[in-house]
């Protein structure tokens, strides 16, 4: 599979970028202070096929435990490289860089404080001073990494851009790209090239558009750092798998991406087969017909397509039928100009999970391009009705229509102090029918409120077993016991006049 040219970055016993295969990674959900539990889960992840394992290190105490976690894994003959995940705490990054093979830092909060959405005013000279202060803080970290042979990831999240960046460049594509570029320029100036970069967002079309913009920005400055891809807060189950497959699959199809994480709010081992299936499908597409190109981006937001369970139910219009090979390329060839009707079908003996991922990559790519006026999916392993449900999920993941509430949920990590997967299921059961709402379920109070910005309501974990309920970015109920939290969320939605009963919603 041809990919964008990137420099090879060695991370422990693997290489990311260059000619290396697309690397699959995941993250533990155990408290990093609990060394035994973290070793056990990291070992399970490595055995499942994770090629890198990330662990949260929220403080120096957590970062220092990484030494023992790594030591115990190596004693078990498990050589998987470890990555420390750092937010808000440069001291933890300095500690972790001495123990693990890679450290992820977030440009939104490495130098700048957590965002408060305050507007900051800078003259050009003042902004240059800010960049100089950033350089002064970053360079000693780079030197420490150099001396310990440690790679870094500059990991931007849409939900945690700093007030400084948002004030100067906005909360969109330009802000996210510049947030990464400021750090990359310092790395290059100081000749530190063991760098991987990522930009993630929970909105799939934002994520794909912004990563492409980052690639253009790097190309313009002759930078070739490898890219890590992921959709944040993708959630769980079918929705989580489809969102990741649409976002990551679209970029891989364009030859962008050197390492990926499919984030799911489930046991992290469940992420690995989805990631493998995703990479395999893009490779099979590329083997059938290579497509190293950036997809054509529609001038206007595409219209939602007509979806049907069978071809007979589609309006009479020419239909492109694609049942093998590179279905995206086939649609490109047969309908190069205008949106068309497509019938994408997958083999009868293809396992359901793989077929869903493949369909999400193929249909998702075409939807984001604005090429689809109507669509039928045929996945024999799940039947016509479930295939239609998958198609609806793909259309919603591409941001073209809402068939149910948009429920975003982080995957949880060592900061999560309650049962996130149970909470997510409870919120989905209570609120999925509210398709006009976006509801976030977030594992911790430190990153959760920032990263769920854009959600109408939030369910955010706090101290052990307690939850805060948000309206937008405003906490309305704090420290509610988890058993009462969904009830409080529903009550708040009702008090705001935003509630509809499931039947009313179905009738509408
Ligand atoms: Fe971890 Fe979720 Fe908090 Fe992010 S928002 S740091 S994944 S618990």
């Amino acid at each position: 599979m041809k990919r964008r040219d990137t420099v090879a970055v060695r991370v422990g016993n693997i290489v990311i970028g260059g000619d290396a295969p697309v690397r699959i990674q995941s993250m533990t959900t155990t408290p990093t202070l609990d060394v035994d539990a973290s070793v056990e889960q990291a070992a399970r992840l490595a055995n499942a096929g994770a090629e890198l394992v990330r662990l949260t290190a929220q403080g120096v105490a957590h970062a220092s435990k990484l030494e023992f976690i790594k030591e115990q894994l190596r004693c078990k003959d498990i050589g998987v490289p470890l990555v420390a995940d750092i937010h808000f705490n440069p001291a933890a990054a300095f500690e972790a860089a001495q123990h693990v093979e890679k450290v992820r830092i977030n440009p939104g909060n490495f130098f700048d404080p957590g965002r408060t959405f305050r507007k900051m005013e800078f003259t050009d000279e003042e902004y240059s001073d800010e960049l100089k202060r950033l350089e002064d803080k970053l360079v000693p970290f780079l030197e420490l990494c150099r001396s310990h042979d440690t790679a870094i990831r500059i990991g931007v999240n849409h939900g945690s851009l700093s007030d400084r960046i948002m004030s100067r460049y906005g909360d969109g594509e330009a802000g996210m790209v510049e947030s990464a570029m400021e750090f990359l320029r310092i790395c290059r100036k100081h000749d530190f090239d063991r760098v991987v970069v990522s930009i993630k967002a929970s909105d799939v079309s934002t994520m794909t558009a912004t990563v492409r913009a980052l690639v253009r920005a790097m190309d313009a400055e002759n930078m070739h750092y490898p890219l890590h891809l992921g959709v944040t807060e993708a959630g769980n189950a079918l929705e989580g798998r489809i969102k990741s497959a649409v976002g990551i699959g679209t970029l891989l199809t364009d030859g962008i991406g050197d390492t990926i994480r499919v984030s799911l709010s489930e046991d992290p081992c469940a992420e690995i087969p989805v990631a493998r299936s995703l990479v395999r499908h893009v490779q099979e597409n590329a083997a059938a017909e290579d497509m190293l190109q950036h997809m054509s981006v529609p001038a206007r937001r595409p219209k939602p397509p007509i979806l049907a369970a069978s071809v007979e139910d589609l309006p009479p219009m020419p239909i492109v039928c694609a049942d093998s090979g590179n279905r995206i390329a086939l649609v490109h060839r047969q309908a190069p100009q205008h949106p068309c009707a497509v019938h994408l079908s997958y083999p009868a003996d293809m396992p359901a999970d793989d077929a869903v991922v493949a369909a999400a990559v193929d249909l998702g790519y075409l939807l984001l391009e604005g090429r689809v006026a109507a669509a039928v999916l045929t996945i024999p392993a799940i039947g016509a009705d479930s295939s239609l449900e998958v198609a609806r999920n793909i259309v919603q993941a591409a941001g073209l229509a809402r068939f149910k509430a948009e429920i975003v949920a982080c995957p949880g990590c060592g900061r999560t102090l309650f049962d996130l997967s149970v909470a997510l299921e409870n919120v989905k059961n209570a609120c999925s029918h509210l398709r006009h709402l976006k509801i976030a379920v977030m594992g911790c109070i430190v990153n959760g409120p920032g990263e769920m910005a854009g959600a109408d309501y939030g369910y955010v974990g706090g101290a052990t077993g307690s939850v805060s309920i948000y309206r937008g970015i405003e906490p309305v109920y704090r420290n509610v016991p988890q058993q009462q939290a969904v009830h409080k969320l529903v009550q708040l939605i009702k008090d705001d006049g935003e509630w509809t009963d499931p039947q009313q919603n179905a009738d509408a």
Side-chain angles (χ1 to χ4, degrees):
M1 164 173 142
K2 275 194 202 158
R3 302 210 310 273
R4 166 181 169 262
D5 285 337
T6 54
V7 294
V9 173
R10 189 169 48 76
V11 181
N13 62 4
I14 66 163
V15 169
I16 297 175
D19 294 330
V22 175
R23 301 296 185 183
I24 289 169
Q25 56 176 290
S26 183
M27 184 166 178
T28 58
T29 54
T30 48
T32 308
L33 291 178
D34 187 339
V35 172
D36 290 345
S38 299
V39 169
E40 189 274 335
Q41 197 177 61
R44 277 203 301 123
L45 277 168
N47 290 332
E51 296 172 282
L52 292 104
V53 173
R54 185 157 42 114
L55 303 97
T56 188
Q58 55 264 56
V60 172
H62 305 77
S64 64
K65 293 291 184 196
L66 295 171
E67 178 180 9
F68 306 110
I69 293 169
K70 182 173 155 186
E71 199 176 280
Q72 288 195 28
L73 286 167
R74 301 300 176 259
C75 283
K76 292 175 187 283
D77 212 18
I78 296 171
V80 67
L82 300 183
V83 186
D85 195 60
I86 308 287
H87 298 270
F88 298 109
N89 196 333
F94 278 79
E95 177 69 25
Q98 302 172 55
H99 307 307
V100 292
E101 288 86 355
K102 187 173 163 209
V103 178
R104 177 270 172 111
I105 57 173
N106 181 340
N109 55 39
F110 185 76
F111 158 67
D112 294 307
R115 68 186 190 169
T116 58
F117 298 95
R118 87 194 148 106
K119 179 79 179 156
M120 302 171 78
E121 302 286 344
F122 297 101
T123 63
D124 288 349
E125 195 180 353
E126 286 166 343
Y127 201 81
S128 297
D129 290 345
E130 291 288 304
L131 293 180
K132 179 74 179 80
R133 290 206 295 133
L134 165 59
E135 184 174 352
D136 290 346
K137 193 154 187 173
L138 187 58
V139 168
F141 177 65
L142 299 181
E143 292 308 328
L144 182 73
C145 288
R146 202 192 308 271
S147 67
H148 284 83
D149 216 16
T150 305
I152 67 168
R153 168 157 67 97
I154 293 169
V156 174
N157 272 7
H158 187 200
S160 52
L161 295 180
S162 66
D163 289 333
R164 176 178 63 82
I165 281 284
M166 289 194 291
S167 299
R168 184 114 174 147
Y169 297 100
D171 187 20
E173 188 175 297
M176 287 186 269
V177 170
E178 194 56 26
S179 181
M181 292 299 290
E182 287 180 352
F183 276 61
L184 293 177
R185 288 184 195 112
I186 295 169
C187 292
R188 182 157 74 177
K189 179 177 170 187
H190 293 272
D191 215 13
F192 185 89
D193 58 5
R194 298 202 38 203
V195 181
V196 178
V197 61
S198 66
I199 291 184
K200 296 189 182 181
S202 60
D203 178 89
V204 169
S205 62
T206 302
M207 173 263 188
T208 52
T210 309
V211 171
R212 288 201 175 94
L214 173 65
V215 168
R216 288 195 297 274
M218 286 199 287
D219 285 350
E221 298 190 29
N222 200 23
M223 292 178 181
H224 304 282
Y225 299 110
L227 274 148
H228 166 114
L229 305 181
V231 177
T232 55
E233 292 103 36
N236 67 352
L238 188 63
E239 298 92 336
R241 285 158 175 77
I242 285 178
K243 267 193 191 174
S244 288
V246 174
I248 297 170
T250 289
L251 291 166
L252 288 177
T253 297
D254 279 351
I256 294 171
D258 303 279
T259 174
I260 67 169
R261 180 191 180 195
V262 171
S263 298
L264 294 176
S265 312
E266 300 177 18
D267 181 327
C269 289
E271 298 176 358
I272 308 302
V274 185
R276 281 185 159 161
S277 176
L278 173 50
V279 172
R280 188 169 56 240
H281 180 65
V282 176
Q283 283 173 335
E284 285 167 0
N285 271 355
E289 194 157 354
D290 193 51
M291 290 181 62
L292 187 59
Q293 61 179 41
H294 293 317
M295 73 180 185
S296 53
V297 180
R300 277 178 294 165
R301 182 185 151 87
K303 289 186 183 160
I306 298 162
L307 297 177
S310 72
V311 173
E312 293 72 42
D313 296 334
L314 285 179
M317 63 168 87
I319 299 172
V320 178
C321 295
D323 61 5
S324 62
N326 187 333
R327 294 165 181 79
I328 301 170
L330 196 145
V331 173
H332 277 200
R333 260 201 322 278
Q334 295 206 9
Q337 298 292 337
H338 303 291
C340 62
V342 298
H343 176 204
L344 305 184
S345 56
Y346 295 85
D349 60 353
M350 193 169 188
D353 290 349
D354 291 335
V356 167
V357 166
V361 172
D362 297 338
L363 182 58
Y365 189 99
L366 294 166
L367 287 168
L368 287 171
E369 277 190 309
R371 280 186 190 259
V372 182
V376 173
L377 269 188
T378 300
I379 300 177
I382 58 173
D385 289 347
S386 296
S387 295
L388 180 58
E389 183 57 22
V390 167
R392 289 194 181 115
N393 274 281
I394 297 171
V395 170
Q396 180 153 339
L400 302 188
R402 285 262 189 98
F403 299 93
K404 54 190 168 187
E406 183 69 14
I407 296 186
V408 296
C410 80
C413 68
R415 293 177 189 260
T416 314
L417 302 176
F418 68 107
D419 193 330
L420 182 73
S421 53
V422 169
L424 175 56
E425 276 312 306
N426 290 341
V427 171
K428 283 170 89 169
N429 288 337
C431 301
S432 276
H433 63 287
L434 302 171
R435 66 179 179 207
H436 61 299
L437 294 182
K438 181 172 179 178
I439 300 173
V441 179
M442 306 299 284
C444 77
I445 201 84
V446 182
N447 280 354
E451 305 222 344
M452 73 184 189
D456 301 298
Y457 295 93
Y459 177 115
V460 181
T464 306
S466 77
V467 170
S468 293
I469 304 296
Y470 282 65
R471 178 197 295 116
I473 57 172
E474 169 204 5
V476 180
Y477 300 117
R478 294 179 194 266
N479 300 321
V480 179
Q482 193 186 354
Q483 296 81 343
Q484 298 165 21
V486 173
H487 172 74
K488 282 283 188 192
L489 172 66
V490 169
Q491 192 57 52
L492 178 62
I493 295 171
K494 286 182 175 173
D495 291 347
D496 287 351
E498 295 289 348
W499 183 265
T500 53
D501 288 324
Q503 190 51 46
Q504 268 176 283
N505 208 294
D507 293 345

